């Protein structure tokens, strides 16, 4: 908490100066500005001056997301939390850049910084006139690691690797800030701290992070941006970490603030404070929860939308109860004010960036940058026999598939100012029209009992679905398959999607969207060949949903509503237009067929909803196969937000190009790549697995034990981390150690200019601890013309080889031999060498010293739990026979007893040697405690323990919590 110590020291030094002006309330236009309005003064002095002028009530008002105006000081209102993940969101038309995972796939920090700068400019442009909801505290980037490709929010993150994530988030953050931490363009908040990588019960599930995983993996992704002053704070996540809600995680102070000397402004996620006494039931009242969050290091409560009264009353109550002191309020308020001072809010003209206006929004330069980013972020997965690039001379081209002529936006997208679809981009590239087909079925749904048809409205506003007598245009629907049985129904009468508005089903939506995405249905085939129409909007998955989910007539006029299954209408699905047949007809005889398939980012996983299926939708896979059979000159574009198990499909087509939902310039970027005006240079930032069976539970956060990510995965991936092909080839020379790093000569041996992403990996041959199979340590993107060579230098010091030593709770670089490898992906390694490093030897454990139970080496049947509500981690046994391994423990001849601190249910702790069922040295009996946070010390005499080094196992009975132990 370096910022806190500095502030208190500053206040003492400045007190005599400030006392003379305490009563001054001169307006901002006075000749002698108040110190907090004087840009020549240090930030700390300005913050301290303003803080001292505020009343306690005014300071408390700064702790909510919506900070009110303070007219007596000429201070305007301020709001935290404009969204800026890949462009400014929710404020209107703006430049929409590729999704975060697409930006990251460029592996280009310089590009990321330029995009961040453009987004920061546009945020300033939107806020220039300070409209309602003003605020330049941006909630981006997302540093959560893409540990599991099934995570619903995969599109928001950068990579499964902390080194790559740290580099890219730092670059994006620097662009947002402008690069000067004292004069901020915007104030980015990096999210979501910590270990937030599942949406299933996301507010009540706990992410178990043993120290090595926390330090080497999850924290490592957040630290670089904070350390580099590329972010001004973190957002706490919804989940629990080791049994404690992240909103009250003491890491916010103890860890995050240790990474920088600057003030950080930490915020909660939306409605998370209310979860503490709510579904988390961690503290009984909001006052206690808010007080605990404030003391843990939270500065701003995002709760109850714009109603700050609830938070203010809770803080007032906490003060009255003695749960908080005014100094706690001062500390948090000073962090809020520090950000506002650095944003130039109190400077003449708004400071360095105050003149940026709305003219920057979707400027020509930003449009060009959006196209560049969409191009660099696409990854060529496969290119057999030179299927790509395509020839512009080909006369006839067909572009087909459900994503061929549409662009979808995600939850955190801005509003597209224009949309260049893949078909648009290819037509523009060729200068002539292309044949298109979505390849989706158009059907009618006829009630088997009454003979009537489901009909929709014909105007743009649509109308409630009803039972109609004829099968005309109003009774026809385009059925798109998005996988996992989910389809959308788009009315042929007005080209609008059918959705539920809480009382009726209406065809009035341009795209699926909204928080609950109410445009989702399932057609459930029955034994008699008919179908039930099931409503599958996301709210039906909520525990409070009590309505039935099947459609049937509910009114005399035939209006369809929700009914119980036994009252549901049975529909005959008649195909009016066979989508696959239409697509096949479109591609037959054509010189080239481009099939664009993929996901809908509102349906196939998103915030609050993990993916249940990693494959392409069955109808899409069938479409690709049929088109490929009809036209051998078929290439496939997969447009989605995550790794996909392509199955046999990836073997059947000659070329596969992946892109994220890449924003307004998607079509132009794809056309540039498909026709060779740009050479693919994107690389995968995640492992693409062959099957869901390659992955453990999405709730398992221990990547070390469960062999997750490319670092530990022992199987054969579909496509490896770092993979991406080019239209040219590259040769690598020998890898040589030079100074504080390595260098390798890379030559473009092909006939096209291209970019290579040179990736440096290491592997520690021998260690006390389980080590990654390989680990990215450095990378660099280089551009080379044909025949040209570049000497690529990649930094690597002995300190970069350190891992977390659980025996001493510190970083350690072990002495030994390290394999250093360089290449084009985690599996395509072109050169390697060995590096003998003189570091340390981790000594054997000294059991006489108090050992924290969480510092085990291996385990079975346990969960990591909160030692107390305030701080600390203990180990809880989930069932009898749970065990912890403490490897390489030095035992002495005088070893005679175990001392352990236990809480929870009555039970025992056994000390065994060599294995969980090895020789029993002794048993401690525990009578139990009434509270899981009340610990008692138990002891046990040990026998048969010989002098020497051994693996010690502690075997626990179910319900026991172990905090610390020692063996003397």
């Amino acid at each position: 908490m370096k910022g806190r110590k500095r502030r208190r020291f500053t206040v003492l030094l400045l007190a005599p100066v400030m006392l003379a002006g305490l009563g001054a309330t001169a307006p901002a236009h006075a000749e002698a500005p108040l110190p907090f309005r004087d840009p020549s003064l240090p930030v700390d002095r300005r913050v301290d001056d303003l803080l001292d002028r505020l009343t306690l009530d005014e300071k408390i008002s700064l702790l909510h997301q919506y900070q009110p105006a303070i007219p007596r000081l000429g201070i305007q209102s301020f709001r935290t939390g404009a969204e800026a993940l890949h462009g400014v969101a929710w404020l209107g038309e703006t430049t929409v850049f590729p999704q975060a995972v697409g930006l990251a796939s460029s592996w280009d920090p310089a590009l990321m910084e330029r995009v961040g700068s453009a987004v920061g400019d546009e945020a300033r442009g939107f806020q220039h006139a300070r409209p309602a909801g003003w605020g330049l505290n941006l909630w981006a980037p997302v540093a959560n690691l893409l540990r599991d490709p099934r995570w619903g929010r995969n599109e928001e993150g950068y990579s499964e690797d902390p080194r790559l994530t740290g580099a890219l988030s730092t670059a994006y953050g620097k662009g947002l800030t402008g690069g000067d931490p004292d004069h901020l363009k915007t104030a980015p908040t990096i999210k979501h701290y910590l270990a937030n990588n599942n949406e299933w019960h996301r507010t009540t599930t706990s992410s178990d992070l043993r120290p090595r995983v926390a330090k080497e993996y999850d924290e490592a992704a957040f630290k670089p941006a904070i350390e580099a002053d590329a972010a001004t704070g973190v957002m706490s996540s919804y989940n629990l970490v080791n049994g404690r809600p992240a909103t009250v995680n003491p890491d916010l102070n103890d860890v995050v603030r240790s990474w920088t000397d600057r003030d950080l402004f930490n915020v909660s996620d939306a409605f998370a404070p209310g979860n503490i006494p709510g579904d988390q039931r961690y503290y009984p009242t909001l006052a206690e929860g808010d007080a605990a969050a404030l003391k843990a290091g939270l500065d701003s409560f995002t709760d109850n939308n714009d109603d700050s009264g609830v938070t203010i009353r809770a803080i007032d109550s906490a003060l009255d109860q003695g749960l908080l002191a005014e100094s706690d309020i001062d500390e948090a308020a000073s962090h809020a004010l520090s950000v506002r001072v650095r944003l130039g809010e109190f400077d003449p003209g708004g400071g360095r960036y105050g003149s940026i206006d709305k003219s920057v929004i979707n400027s020509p330069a930003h449009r060009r940058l959006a196209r560049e980013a969409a191009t660099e972020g696409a990854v060529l997965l496969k290119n057999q026999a030179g299927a790509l690039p395509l020839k512009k001379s080909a006369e006839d081209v067909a572009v087909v598939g459900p994503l061929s002529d549409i662009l979808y936006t995600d939850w955190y997208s801005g509003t597209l100012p224009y949309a260049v679809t893949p078909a648009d981009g290819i037509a523009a590239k060729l200068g002539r029209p292309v044949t298109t087909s979505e390849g989706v079925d158009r059907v009618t749904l006829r009630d088997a009992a009454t003979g009537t048809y489901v009909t929709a409205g014909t105007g743009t506003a649509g109308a409630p679905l009803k039972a109609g007598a004829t099968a005309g245009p109003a009774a026809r629907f385009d059925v798109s398959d998005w996988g996992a049985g989910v389809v959308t129904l788009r009315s042929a009468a007005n080209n609008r999607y059918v959705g539920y508005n809480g009382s009726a089903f209406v065809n009035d939506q341009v795209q699926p969207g909204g928080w609950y995405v109410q445009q989702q249905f399932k057609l459930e085939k029955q034994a008699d060949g008919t179908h039930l129409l099931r409503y599958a909007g996301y709210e039906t998955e909520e525990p409070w949903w009590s309505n039935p989910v099947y459609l049937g007539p509910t009114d005399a006029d035939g209006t369809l509503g929700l009914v119980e299954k036994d009252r549901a209408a049975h529909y005959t699905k008649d195909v009016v237009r066979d989508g696959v047949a239409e697509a096949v007809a479109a591609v037959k005889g054509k010189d080239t067929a481009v099939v664009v398939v993929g996901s809908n980012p509102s349906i196939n996983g998103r915030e609050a909803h993990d993916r249940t299926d990693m494959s392409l939708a069955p109808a899409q896979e069938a479409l690709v196969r049929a088109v490929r059979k009809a036209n051998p000159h078929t290439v496939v574009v997969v447009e989605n937000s995550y790794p996909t198990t392509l199955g046999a499909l990836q073997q059947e087509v000659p070329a596969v190009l992946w892109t994220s939902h890449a924003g307004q310039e998607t079509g132009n970027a794809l056309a540039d790549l498909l026709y060779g005006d740009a050479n693919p240079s994107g690389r995968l930032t995640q492992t693409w697995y062959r099957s869901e069976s390659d992955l453990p539970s999405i709730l398992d956060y221990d990547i070390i034990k469960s062999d997750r990510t490319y670092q530990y995965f022992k199987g054969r991936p579909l496509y490896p981390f770092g993979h991406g092909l080019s239209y040219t080839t590259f040769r690598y020379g020998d890898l040589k150690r030079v100074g504080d790093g390595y260098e390798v000569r890379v030559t473009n041996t092909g006939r096209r200019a291209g970019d290579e992403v040179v990736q440096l990996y290491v592997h520690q041959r021998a260690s006390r601890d389980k080590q990654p199979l390989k680990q990215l340590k450095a990378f660099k993107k280089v551009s080379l013309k044909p025949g040209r060579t570049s000497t690529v230098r990649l930094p690597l010091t002995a300190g970069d080889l350190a891992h977390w030593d659980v025996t001493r709770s510190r970083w350690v670089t072990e002495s030994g031999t390290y394999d250093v490898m360089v290449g084009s992906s985690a599996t395509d390694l072109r050169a390697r060498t060995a590096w003998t490093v003189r570091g340390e030897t981790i000594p054997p454990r000294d059991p006489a010293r108090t050992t924290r139970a969480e510092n085990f080496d291996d385990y079975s049947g346990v969960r990591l739990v909160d030692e107390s509500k305030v701080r600390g981690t203990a180990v809880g046994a989930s069932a009898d026979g749970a065990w912890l391994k403490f490897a390489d423990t030095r035992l002495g001849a005088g070893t005679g007893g175990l001392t352990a601190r236990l809480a929870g249910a009555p039970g025992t702790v056994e000390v065994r040697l060599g294995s969980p069922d090895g020789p029993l040295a002794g048993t401690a009996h525990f009578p139990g405690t009434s509270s899981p946070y009340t610990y008692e010390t138990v002891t046990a005499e040990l026998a048969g323990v010989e002098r020497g080094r051994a693996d010690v196992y502690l075997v626990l009975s179910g319900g026991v919590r172990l905090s610390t132990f020692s063996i003397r």
Side-chain angles (χ1 to χ4, degrees), residues 896-900 909 911 921-925 938-943 966-968:
L898 166 74
T899 300
V909 178
V911 179
T923 302
H925 296 273
V938 299
T939 61
E941 295 297 320
L942 303 183
S966 62
I967 298 175
R968 301 180 188 276

Side-chain angles (χ1 to χ4, degrees), residues 85 99-105 141-146 151 153-160 165 191 641 685-686:
L85 187 60
Q99 292 175 307
V101 70
L103 289 172
S105 297
V142 170
N144 295 110
L145 292 162
L146 305 185
W151 184 33
R153 304 182 74 169
N154 198 87
E155 67 199 28
E156 298 180 36
Y158 289 146
S159 169
E160 69 182 37
T165 296
K191 58 183 187 177
S641 315
T685 65
Q686 290 178 268

Side-chain angles (χ1 to χ4, degrees), residues 592-911:
T592 304
V594 179
V595 190
V596 189
V597 293
S599 71
N600 185 309
S602 291
I603 293 173
N604 298 109
R606 50 153 284 181
E607 184 167 355
H609 296 276
D610 291 318
R611 294 167 65 202
T612 57
D613 190 336
M614 289 171 59
S615 61
L616 276 180
Q620 294 188 27
E621 192 166 346
L623 172 68
V624 174
R625 284 199 171 96
V627 169
R628 164 69 173 158
K629 184 176 180 180
N631 189 325
H633 305 293
T634 295
V635 297
V636 174
V637 175
V638 177
E639 184 179 343
N640 65 16
S641 315
Y642 36 70
T644 301
T645 53
L646 297 175
L649 179 65
Q650 65 91 25
Q651 297 181 15
E652 297 174 11
V653 295
V656 181
L657 179 69
W658 174 85
T659 178
S660 68
H661 294 280
Q664 62 204 51
E665 288 286 343
T666 298
N668 283 330
L670 288 175
D672 288 343
L673 291 162
L674 291 171
Y675 285 91
D677 288 333
N679 195 340
S681 64
R683 301 292 185 266
L684 296 180
T685 65
Q686 290 178 268
T687 302
W688 282 43
Y689 297 97
R690 293 180 178 273
S691 167
E692 287 90 343
S693 64
D694 288 332
L695 296 166
S697 166
I698 195 172
L699 301 179
D700 183 347
Y701 278 75
D702 190 347
I703 68 161
I704 299 174
K705 187 174 178 67
S706 60
D707 294 329
R708 298 188 81 130
T709 80
Y710 81 93
Q711 293 189 36
Y712 295 95
F713 182 59
K714 297 175 183 176
R716 187 166 65 94
L718 179 65
Y719 294 113
F721 174 82
H723 171 76
L725 302 178
S726 171
Y727 294 151
T728 190
T729 55
F730 298 94
R731 183 179 66 240
Y732 284 65
D734 294 335
L735 187 60
K736 300 177 182 178
R737 179 134 189 99
V738 177
D740 286 336
Y742 284 83
E743 68 176 28
V744 61
R745 289 171 60 82
V746 179
T747 303
N748 183 342
T749 54
R751 291 183 289 182
R752 288 176 176 267
D755 293 349
E756 173 70 332
V757 179
V758 182
Q759 304 163 40
L760 186 78
Y761 297 87
V762 299
H763 168 67
Q764 187 173 345
R765 291 185 183 176
S767 172
R768 177 200 181 278
D769 301 309
K770 181 178 178 179
Q771 293 295 331
L773 302 173
K774 59 180 68 73
Q775 194 171 23
L776 181 73
K777 291 299 180 182
F779 65 93
K780 188 172 183 180
K781 193 167 192 175
V782 294
S783 298
L784 289 171
K785 294 180 179 179
R788 300 301 296 268
T789 297
S790 176
T791 299
V792 181
R793 292 178 174 84
L794 300 160
L796 184 68
T797 67
D800 294 326
L801 305 175
H803 75 278
W804 190 255
D805 173 18
V806 295
T807 72
R808 296 173 292 176
S809 294
R810 66 176 178 85
W811 293 98
V812 60
T813 299
E814 291 181 281
S815 295
T817 301
Y818 295 77
D819 293 314
V820 184
M821 304 157 282
V822 68
S824 292
S825 78
T827 60
D828 184 8
L829 300 170
R830 309 290 186 85
R832 66 176 61 217
T833 187
W835 184 20
T836 300
V837 175
R838 181 177 296 176
E840 298 180 60
T841 298
I842 299 176
R845 289 182 182 269
D846 178 2
R849 300 175 57 185
T850 298
T851 298
R852 296 202 60 80
E854 65 178 314
N855 285 326
F856 49 73
D857 291 291
D858 199 3
Y859 62 95
S860 176
V862 301
R863 295 297 307 269
L864 293 171
V865 295
D866 48 341
E867 183 178 13
S868 74
K869 285 185 177 290
V870 177
R871 59 172 30 83
T873 296
V875 177
S878 301
D880 290 346
W883 54 263
L884 302 173
K885 175 185 178 181
F886 297 89
D888 192 25
T889 299
R890 176 178 287 133
L891 301 173
T895 300
L898 166 74
T899 300
R901 291 184 70 242
L902 303 175
T908 59
V909 178
E910 296 179 346
V911 179

Side-chain angles (χ1 to χ4, degrees), residues 2-124:
K2 299 176 183 178
R4 174 177 297 184
K5 292 178 181 177
R6 184 182 67 246
R7 166 147 289 110
R8 288 178 174 171
F9 183 64
T10 303
V11 170
L12 288 173
L13 286 179
L14 295 177
V17 177
M18 295 169 59
L19 282 173
L22 282 177
T25 57
H29 59 264
E31 290 185 10
L34 297 175
F36 77 87
R37 293 192 179 277
D38 185 350
S40 69
L41 295 177
V43 171
D44 282 353
R45 182 173 174 185
R46 299 176 68 185
V47 171
D48 291 337
D49 174 71
L50 180 50
L51 188 67
D52 277 0
R53 296 178 189 279
L54 300 178
T55 67
L56 177 59
D57 286 343
E58 288 168 341
K59 289 183 286 191
I60 292 173
S61 75
L62 300 178
L63 306 187
H64 189 262
Q65 178 185 20
Y66 286 81
Q67 301 174 21
I70 303 174
R72 70 182 185 84
L73 293 174
I75 295 174
Q76 295 177 268
S77 62
F78 184 88
R79 181 178 73 92
T80 70
E83 299 291 352
L85 187 60
H86 55 108
V88 181
W90 307 352
L91 296 181
E93 289 188 358
T94 182
T95 309
V96 178
F97 293 95
Q99 292 175 307
V101 70
L103 289 172
S105 297
S106 70
W107 286 63
D108 190 339
L111 175 66
M112 295 290 289
E113 185 169 348
R114 289 162 54 210
V115 172
S117 182
V119 175
D121 284 347
E122 297 203 8
R124 279 278 178 176

